[in-house]
Amino acid sequence: MSGKKDRDKGSCTALELIDFKNALEQFQNLVEKMIIQKTKESSGSYIKDDEEIDYEKFHTTIRALFGPAVKDQNVQAFFRKVMSSPDEKPEWLEIFGCFTGESDGMSSPTKESTVLLVSEKRQITHSVVKRKDVIKGIVKVPLLHFTITASQRGVLTMFSKKMKVLATIDVEDPTWINGCDFLPNLKYVVAVTESTVILWDYQSKESQSDGFVIKPMKNCLLCVCTVTMADNLAKDTILMGDDKGYVYLLTITNDDFIMKQSRAEKESQFKVLDSESFDIPKRKLHDDWVGKIRYFSALKCFGSCSTDSINSFILDDIKRLEDHLPVKEFSVPKGVNAFTYCGKAKVIVTGGNDRILRLWNPVVNFSPVGKLFGHKHSVVEIVTNEKDQHVISLSCAKVFRVWDIQTLSPLQVFYESHGTPEEMNAFPMVFDNDHGMLFTGSDVIDIYPLANVIQDLKELPQTHEKSLNVVLYNRAFHQILSICTESVLKVWDLETGSQIYQIEDAHGLNTEVTCAAIEINGVYLATGACDGTVKIWEFESGQEVKALPLAQHSNDEHRVLKIVYLKADEDQHAVIVLEQRGKIKIIQGDSAQTDLYVTWVLSEIVPFPRRNPVVYLSLKPSSLETQDFFPEIRLLCNTSSMRNDTETFLSSVDIKCFDVLKVEGCRLIATGSANGEINLWDFESASVKCLGKTTEDNQGSGVNAILFLIRSVSSSRKRSAMSPTPSVRSDASAISEQGSSLDLHEEENAESYEINTEIKTEETPSRKNSQNPEMSVQLLKAKAGQSPILASAHESSCIRLWSIQGNLMKELLPFSEHPSGPLTALCTDIFTKILLAGSKKGYIIRWNMASFLEDPRNKKNEIKEELCWRAHATEVVELFIEEEKNVIVTASIDGSVRLWHAMTGYYFGYFGQARKFELSDTSRLILPSDVSNFPAIIKEESKHMEKKVKYPLMLDRDKWKSLTRLPSDLEKAEHGEAAHGFKYFKALDSEKFQTLETFEFVSKEAGAVFGFLPIYELENPIEVSMPKSLQRIKAEKSSHKGREKDPDSIEELSQDK
């Protein structure tokens, strides 16, 4: 019955091939009709009828012919290619997403690729081979992390994960070893020679035998492999190929080691198992030598190859070795020397004496799906890099080539120079997919590590063709929005890096989109343009919802610099924007109005008293009826009459950035100007303060970015869209539940009444509370944990932290090997533990400020710089951190949006690259083409560069005398000799510097040069006469030149004197 079922399966396979050929013929006829139709349309002679082929008809026909094997995107691409270029007939393989590449050189490589670092090659020079011997086989055991090698003259070696020898044996078989593998269930190493099968027990002790040998085998065995099964039984199955074209199937169990032993005439290295006692099915599949044999568990098939031009490669189930049903044969001119299988791409790759690599669909054996040209000599070995979908091929001239299976393009070529005539016949090679390393064998083991590089150094990572204005993160959809100066809006998936959709000319033709904001729920998107227009979009669909019409007298002054979402729902939308000349507006839209409209404007010019730059405002509570965010203010003074007033100064209108904080009990707006001025609008206390004002000669203090930092008691605050950081904008309601304390001082209120300008204040509830600062402080502290802090990034490369009372709390300077340049962007994580800054030179700096924000007044709570690296070669426009994935996204004017690891600065890639991101792998060191320095982790001790001078130890005579004792005392001591020996070392001390006496000339003019030089007063030297006893000792010492003087005797004699 089983034989009948197998025959039915074989007949079904044949019928499937016939159906595929018929479907392919119908497909080619359909393409011919499409080309004729398009040609007639171009000439104007085509008449529409019912036989017209449009996309829907083409898609339906393809689905009927090939079913789900064809993807919609490939169908669209094929249809578009035929209709746009009917003269260039595409290959039928393209409908399946496969392309043929016959380029002979290194043309059109991928921008970023993984290649082998030849310069970092490591060699294992352990004596794993005999003299004039070579390695014939290398096997990696994934689960146990073992590496097994077999040399031609009988040396079997097992290495650990760190390539240290665990066990080795010199097989005493007179014939050569041709291959090896590992038996995972029996825990044996199997090796084949010309007439035997060796089973080495690498765990055996000296008193036991080293394993078993199965002999005799009739033909010369050339290769062996293990059949990996998931049943975990106490047995293993191996496949072997010989020099007659036969493939053998051998199953070994633990019982065979006991039941099938033959009596040996003498003791030997291995116990002998009689081959006649095993049931070894075999089948002749090739007309020449079986070069290699492998088992692919993903396909549940084995593969064998030969130099036979007809039965070059066989791929089928191991059952075919027993039932003798037809097998799937692949014919290649001049045969196949090596083959491999890529599980991700689902293709078989073969190579042989014709020097061509062929890619095959495992189901289709009559035509390859792609070819790779480039080798000048016969291909002898092929392995697969599964993760990157690369194929590594080796020719008999020791030339390695790395290929990309997806694009069918060559990535790397390198040559192995060393090699003897014996080595040229052995080409073992295996790729370790777990650790990303290539192992090759000769008389030594060569290990090549992998690294990601940019293939063409002239091509930079590019997300947009023009420089970037905006990068935002939609936390709800885990998607990224990027907008360039050409007004191309693109949406990307964060995890994979693939593009979802794009919108061109969002605000009209030749209208630059300058800023954008996403509300907290991620449903809506707001954009602002250079002409002052504002639009609301549905983020997921990209459909326009509402728009602010173009003003009649629109000019550069209405250019929208920043935009922040205040509220978003189906009934109402509200955003706050900053225009070119410093005007801040609230723009709203509701269900009753078709367009957006302006509901609130903040005064752009404020007169500040120089002595105390605080001004109280007149609020209009009635304005909250139209918008419930910020009340309107009124300045009763005439700013034009105060331009020449020396007691006051006018605020700058050259505002470059702003930030908004609206939580319960706290409504703040902060602005930063090009001249370094920071204005803080406090609508709870109805005041505006000037926190920083630079002088005319103090250049480089301009404010490029500004950000409110607020840390709640629970440390779980989410960032609000009220904080227009360079990263994410969201709705103010995200932090409305958690407040912030506003620590007001009575001194400021007292000084505010000294302002000369007449300011009147209407009675509002917020103003009433400001009359009693203590009550306001207690109320705010009860609602929130801590007071917000304002961070500002300056042209002078520093970050300043301000309290909302106007006090400078801290100034941070980046610590890096190279100057980072002016800081241009700021952002924090959702817990406000990390502060990130981007600079004009492309650097990213990371600070840890968790302890500082918990208690800023405690000097022990420092802000620690943790990481600094160069992410771009040009200015960083915006950046943000994603805590769940632990990544940082940066955008620059170079047109690229790049992805980095948040803790190490590891480079994952850029949005727009051909490959998907691998966020889990950070083991490789990768750099973009325009960056040459790796990230630097900042340690505390590296910041203190004070040089510690170590002075040599000198003999202190005073200590020596104090330690010197009489001989009688030493004899009484318990350890006299030890104390006497260490006396000299105890007397050592650092060199003492004595203050020199100096004299000063009375005449300053006469001693202008020499007046302060030290003058040394030398005493008359004392003549020392040598005692007779010492002269006698000196004479004795001179007669024994090898003897050294005894310091104790000298000291005693000097005392006698």
Side-chain angles (χ1 to χ4, degrees):
M1 290 296 292
S2 62
K4 185 177 180 181
K5 289 182 180 178
D6 293 334
R7 292 191 193 97
D8 292 341
K9 289 182 181 179
S11 60
C12 290
T13 304
L15 289 175
E16 288 177 0
L17 292 177
I18 295 174
D19 292 341
F20 180 79
K21 290 182 179 179
N22 294 333
L24 190 59
E25 290 179 2
Q26 296 180 38
F27 170 73
Q28 291 175 341
N29 294 333
L30 178 65
V31 174
E32 292 290 343
K33 291 180 181 179
M34 291 173 59
I35 293 174
I36 296 173
Q37 173 183 316
K38 185 62 180 177
T39 304
K40 289 184 178 180
E41 287 180 359
S42 302
S43 61
S45 59
Y46 178 72
I47 300 175
K48 293 185 177 182
D49 54 12
D50 296 337
E51 300 295 327
E52 180 184 4
I53 302 175
D54 55 5
Y55 174 73
E56 292 184 1
K57 188 173 183 179
F58 178 76
H59 182 270
T60 304
T61 307
I62 295 300
R63 283 294 180 199
L65 291 174
F66 302 111
V70 180
K71 297 181 180 179
D72 291 341
Q73 58 191 29
N74 296 328
V75 176
Q76 294 176 4
F78 191 94
F79 182 82
R80 191 183 302 111
K81 187 173 183 179
V82 172
M83 289 303 180
S84 60
S85 302
D87 297 334
E88 300 179 4
K89 183 179 178 181
E91 296 289 337
W92 64 270
L93 297 168
E94 297 183 21
I95 198 68
F96 297 95
C98 302
F99 301 88
T100 57
E102 302 194 359
S103 174
D104 204 23
M106 299 287 292
S107 61
S108 65
T110 55
K111 292 183 180 180
E112 183 180 336
S113 57
T114 305
V115 297
L116 297 165
L117 283 179
V118 182
S119 60
E120 300 294 330
K121 180 181 72 173
R122 177 187 171 196
Q123 282 191 345
I124 306 299
T125 57
H126 185 271
S127 181
V128 295
V129 296
K130 299 179 180 179
R131 187 178 180 184
K132 294 184 179 180
D133 193 5
V134 292
I135 296 174
K136 289 289 290 184
I138 302 179
V139 178
K140 294 293 295 184
V141 184
L143 297 178
L144 300 177
H145 301 289
F146 289 161
T147 302
I148 302 170
T149 62
S151 76
Q152 192 173 51
R153 298 195 177 187
V155 179
L156 297 176
T157 310
M158 176 170 286
F159 294 90
S160 65
K161 181 179 180 180
K162 296 182 179 181
M163 294 305 293
K164 294 183 178 180
V165 177
L166 297 178
T168 184
I169 186 174
D170 186 0
V171 180
E172 298 173 357
D173 197 298
T175 56
W176 286 357
I177 290 181
N178 293 321
C180 66
D181 208 335
F182 183 75
L183 304 181
N185 295 328
L186 300 179
K187 298 295 187 295
Y188 276 78
V189 176
V190 58
V192 294
T193 67
E194 296 176 1
S195 58
T196 62
V197 178
I198 299 173
L199 301 173
W200 173 41
D201 183 7
Y202 62 92
Q203 297 175 333
S204 62
K205 300 179 181 179
E206 295 182 358
S207 59
Q208 301 175 350
S209 63
D210 294 320
F212 302 89
V213 58
I214 302 176
K215 65 179 184 180
M217 304 298 292
K218 294 182 179 180
N219 297 331
C220 177
L221 300 179
L222 300 178
C223 52
V224 63
C225 78
T226 303
V227 179
T228 54
M229 297 292 188
D231 48 12
N232 293 324
L233 298 176
K235 68 176 182 178
D236 279 300
T237 303
I238 60 175
L239 295 168
M240 299 173 290
D242 67 7
D243 59 344
K244 302 297 183 182
Y246 283 91
V247 175
Y248 299 81
L249 180 65
L250 172 61
T251 301
I252 305 173
T253 64
N254 278 322
D255 296 337
D256 295 335
F257 298 145
I258 302 174
M259 304 295 296
K260 298 181 180 181
Q261 286 191 35
S262 60
R263 294 182 179 179
E265 297 178 357
K266 60 180 180 178
E267 293 185 3
S268 62
Q269 187 180 20
F270 298 98
K271 295 180 180 180
V272 179
L273 302 179
D274 188 4
S275 60
E276 298 295 334
S277 62
F278 287 89
D279 181 17
I280 308 177
K282 67 176 182 178
R283 180 175 178 180
K284 186 176 178 62
L285 299 177
H286 304 277
D287 294 330
D288 207 337
W289 292 4
V290 181
K292 284 182 174 58
I293 189 166
R294 291 179 182 173
Y295 183 80
F296 304 118
S297 56
L299 300 175
K300 295 182 180 180
C301 295
F302 78 94
S304 63
C305 66
S306 173
T307 54
D308 180 11
S309 297
I310 298 176
N311 301 324
S312 307
F313 176 63
I314 303 295
L315 182 68
D316 218 315
D317 197 303
I318 57 175
K319 295 178 180 179
R320 300 292 88 79
L321 299 176
E322 299 180 278
D323 56 25
H324 294 276
L325 291 176
V327 294
K328 193 180 299 181
E329 302 170 346
F330 297 75
S331 299
V332 177
K334 299 183 180 181
V336 174
N337 292 332
F339 61 92
T340 188
Y341 174 69
C342 181
K344 276 189 175 181
K346 296 181 179 179
V347 293
I348 295 283
V349 184
T350 62
N353 295 327
D354 64 349
R355 302 168 295 179
I356 302 174
L357 296 182
R358 290 175 172 84
L359 279 68
W360 305 83
N361 188 322
V363 179
V364 182
N365 64 341
F366 57 85
S367 178
V369 298
K371 296 180 181 180
L372 300 173
F373 298 84
H375 277 291
K376 305 301 181 183
H377 301 83
S378 298
V379 179
V380 294
E381 187 60 280
I382 308 173
V383 294
T384 305
N385 177 0
E386 282 285 349
K387 180 180 179 181
D388 300 305
Q389 299 185 44
H390 291 174
V391 166
I392 306 168
S393 58
L394 173 65
S395 70
C396 61
K398 289 282 186 177
V399 177
F400 295 82
R401 288 181 178 266
V402 184
W403 313 82
D404 190 327
I405 299 179
Q406 288 185 330
T407 60
L408 299 184
S409 59
L411 300 176
Q412 186 183 13
V413 178
F414 62 95
Y415 172 70
E416 187 57 65
S417 57
H418 72 81
T420 62
E422 291 85 1
E423 294 173 25
M424 300 303 287
N425 296 322
F427 305 95
M429 186 168 63
V430 66
F431 188 82
D432 185 359
N433 284 286
D434 295 333
H435 304 94
M437 292 184 291
L438 176 68
F439 289 73
T440 63
S442 55
D443 59 341
V444 296
I445 302 174
D446 294 328
I447 304 176
Y448 300 89
L450 281 179
N452 284 38
V453 298
I454 302 298
Q455 184 68 20
D456 189 352
L457 296 179
K458 296 181 180 179
E459 295 186 11
L460 298 175
Q462 194 175 59
T463 306
H464 290 259
E465 294 182 0
K466 300 295 181 180
S467 62
L468 285 158
N469 283 339
V470 176
V471 164
L472 298 175
Y473 181 49
N474 191 326
R475 295 183 180 272
F477 294 107
H478 301 287
Q479 295 173 0
I480 292 175
L481 168 73
S482 61
I483 305 175
C484 67
T485 56
E486 209 172 28
S487 297
V488 178
L489 184 151
K490 295 183 179 181
V491 176
W492 312 84
D493 181 72
L494 174 65
E495 189 169 0
T496 62
S498 58
Q499 183 176 338
I500 299 173
Y501 69 84
Q502 77 175 38
I503 301 174
E504 298 181 1
D505 298 324
H507 281 248
L509 189 63
N510 298 327
T511 303
E512 179 185 356
V513 180
T514 56
C515 57
I518 300 174
E519 56 98 9
I520 187 173
N521 296 319
V523 179
Y524 295 102
L525 163 71
T527 58
C530 61
D531 58 357
T533 57
V534 176
K535 290 188 177 182
I536 306 295
W537 311 77
E538 285 186 358
F539 187 90
E540 188 173 10
S541 63
Q543 298 296 319
E544 182 179 333
V545 178
K546 291 180 181 295
L548 178 69
L550 182 65
Q552 295 181 356
H553 304 286
S554 179
N555 50 35
D556 291 341
E557 292 187 358
H558 294 284
R559 179 187 181 92
V560 182
L561 298 180
K562 295 289 180 181
I563 186 170
V564 177
Y565 239 114
L566 295 176
K567 185 178 181 181
D569 53 39
E570 295 180 356
D571 298 328
Q572 185 181 19
H573 293 272
V575 294
I576 183 169
V577 300
L578 169 66
E579 293 186 349
Q580 180 75 36
R581 296 298 295 171
K583 187 171 290 186
I584 298 177
K585 300 177 180 179
I586 291 181
I587 300 173
Q588 293 187 228
D590 51 40
S591 57
Q593 301 287 337
T594 57
D595 296 329
L596 300 174
Y597 52 91
V598 178
T599 59
W600 183 82
V601 179
L602 183 65
S603 300
E604 63 269 29
I605 301 178
V606 178
F608 287 106
R610 293 188 181 275
R611 192 177 64 159
N612 182 30
V614 179
V615 176
Y616 277 91
L617 308 172
S618 175
L619 305 182
K620 293 182 179 180
S622 59
S623 62
L624 294 177
E625 297 177 0
T626 57
Q627 54 85 25
D628 56 352
F629 304 105
F630 299 100
E632 289 188 10
I633 65 171
R634 181 174 56 189
L635 293 176
L636 301 180
C637 56
N638 186 5
T639 57
S640 61
S641 63
M642 302 178 63
R643 295 185 182 274
N644 298 325
D645 191 354
T646 58
E647 297 294 329
T648 61
F649 66 91
L650 298 179
S651 61
S652 173
V653 296
D654 192 7
I655 299 176
K656 300 178 66 176
C657 54
F658 85 121
D659 195 8
V660 182
L661 180 64
K662 183 179 180 294
V663 294
E664 186 178 358
C666 186
R667 288 181 294 178
L668 301 172
I669 296 179
T671 62
S673 304
N675 66 345
E677 182 180 300
I678 300 174
N679 294 335
L680 179 63
W681 300 79
D682 188 346
F683 293 92
E684 293 295 327
S685 62
S687 64
V688 55
K689 305 182 184 72
C690 183
L691 303 187
K693 178 71 173 66
T694 62
T695 58
E696 295 180 359
D697 58 347
N698 187 12
Q699 300 295 327
S701 294
V703 183
N704 294 326
I706 203 164
L707 178 67
F708 278 110
L709 305 176
I710 175 171
R711 183 173 174 82
S712 65
V713 177
S714 61
S715 301
S716 60
R717 179 184 63 87
K718 292 186 178 181
R719 282 297 303 162
S720 164
M722 297 301 304
S723 300
T725 64
S727 54
V728 61
R729 308 288 184 266
S730 51
D731 199 341
S733 60
I735 57 175
S736 61
E737 297 178 0
Q738 303 181 35
S740 62
S741 65
L742 185 60
D743 189 12
L744 301 176
H745 294 287
E746 295 181 8
E747 299 174 358
E748 293 184 4
N749 289 331
E751 291 179 352
S752 64
Y753 294 109
E754 299 179 4
I755 301 175
N756 296 330
T757 307
E758 182 183 0
I759 302 294
K760 295 183 179 179
T761 307
E762 298 180 10
E763 291 294 321
T764 63
S766 62
R767 182 59 181 151
K768 289 179 181 179
N769 290 338
S770 67
Q771 299 292 340
N772 191 346
E774 294 182 359
M775 183 182 301
S776 177
V777 169
Q778 296 299 327
L779 177 62
L780 291 173
K781 285 187 176 180
K783 293 180 179 179
Q786 297 175 3
S787 175
I789 295 175
L790 186 64
S792 58
H794 295 261
E795 282 284 330
S796 57
S797 305
C798 71
I799 292 179
R800 292 172 182 162
L801 302 180
W802 309 83
S803 66
I804 58 174
Q805 293 79 37
N807 301 319
L808 181 61
M809 305 176 63
K810 183 82 69 175
E811 185 172 88
L812 305 177
L813 286 173
F815 179 82
S816 60
E817 183 179 358
H818 304 284
S820 60
L823 301 181
T824 55
L826 287 176
C827 80
T828 64
D829 61 330
I830 58 175
F831 306 114
T832 323
K833 294 182 178 180
I834 297 171
L835 178 64
L836 292 170
S839 75
K840 205 166 190 176
K841 292 186 178 181
Y843 285 89
I844 305 297
I845 306 99
R846 169 193 168 115
W847 285 277
N848 188 333
M849 55 189 316
S851 61
F852 175 79
L853 289 181
E854 288 177 359
D855 187 6
R857 298 181 181 180
N858 190 350
K859 295 182 179 180
K860 294 182 180 180
N861 295 339
E862 294 290 333
I863 299 177
K864 299 179 182 179
E865 183 178 348
E866 296 179 330
L867 194 63
C868 178
W869 78 96
R870 192 165 194 177
H872 301 265
T874 55
E875 178 182 345
V876 176
V877 178
E878 292 193 359
L879 75 164
F880 68 84
I881 180 172
E882 211 286 337
E883 298 80 10
E884 183 179 351
K885 304 294 181 183
N886 202 19
V887 294
I888 295 173
V889 177
T890 62
S892 172
I893 60 175
D894 60 10
S896 67
V897 180
R898 305 180 185 183
L899 189 65
W900 310 84
H901 191 270
M903 300 301 295
T904 61
Y906 172 90
Y907 178 61
F908 289 113
Y910 65 95
F911 290 88
Q913 67 183 22
R915 302 194 173 279
K916 294 181 179 180
F917 296 138
E918 293 288 346
L919 301 184
S920 59
D921 183 12
T922 59
S923 59
R924 308 174 190 176
L925 295 178
I926 313 173
L927 286 177
S929 60
D930 55 348
V931 176
S932 58
N933 297 327
F934 287 102
I937 298 177
I938 308 299
K939 297 181 180 179
E940 280 299 312
E941 54 268 20
S942 64
K943 296 183 180 180
H944 305 286
M945 305 299 293
E946 297 178 3
K947 187 176 180 181
K948 296 182 179 180
V949 181
K950 295 183 179 179
Y951 297 99
L953 296 178
M954 308 291 290
L955 179 62
D956 190 343
R957 294 288 179 178
D958 296 332
K959 276 190 176 182
W960 177 270
K961 292 179 180 180
S962 64
L963 294 171
T964 303
R965 293 180 290 177
L966 296 174
S968 59
D969 296 336
L970 294 176
E971 291 177 0
K972 294 178 182 178
E974 186 177 356
H975 305 284
E977 293 183 0
H980 181 69
F982 283 97
K983 182 176 65 174
Y984 173 78
F985 297 99
K986 292 181 180 179
L988 295 178
D989 199 357
S990 59
E991 186 177 1
K992 295 182 179 179
F993 297 93
Q994 297 181 355
T995 306
L996 298 176
E997 186 179 4
T998 61
F999 297 87
E1000 185 175 333
F1001 285 102
V1002 178
S1003 176
K1004 297 290 183 180
E1005 296 178 358
V1009 178
F1010 305 101
F1012 297 94
L1013 292 180
I1015 298 176
Y1016 302 96
E1017 183 178 356
L1018 297 178
E1019 299 178 356
N1020 294 328
I1022 302 174
E1023 294 183 2
V1024 180
S1025 61
M1026 185 178 295
K1028 293 181 179 181
S1029 57
L1030 187 57
Q1031 292 177 4
R1032 185 176 65 253
I1033 293 176
K1034 183 178 180 181
E1036 293 176 358
K1037 297 295 182 181
S1038 60
S1039 62
H1040 303 83
K1041 294 182 179 181
R1043 189 182 304 170
E1044 297 180 355
K1045 294 181 180 180
D1046 186 4
D1048 288 339
S1049 62
I1050 298 174
E1051 190 71 17
E1052 292 171 0
L1053 291 173
S1054 62
Q1055 290 176 0
D1056 293 338
K1057 176 188 172 182

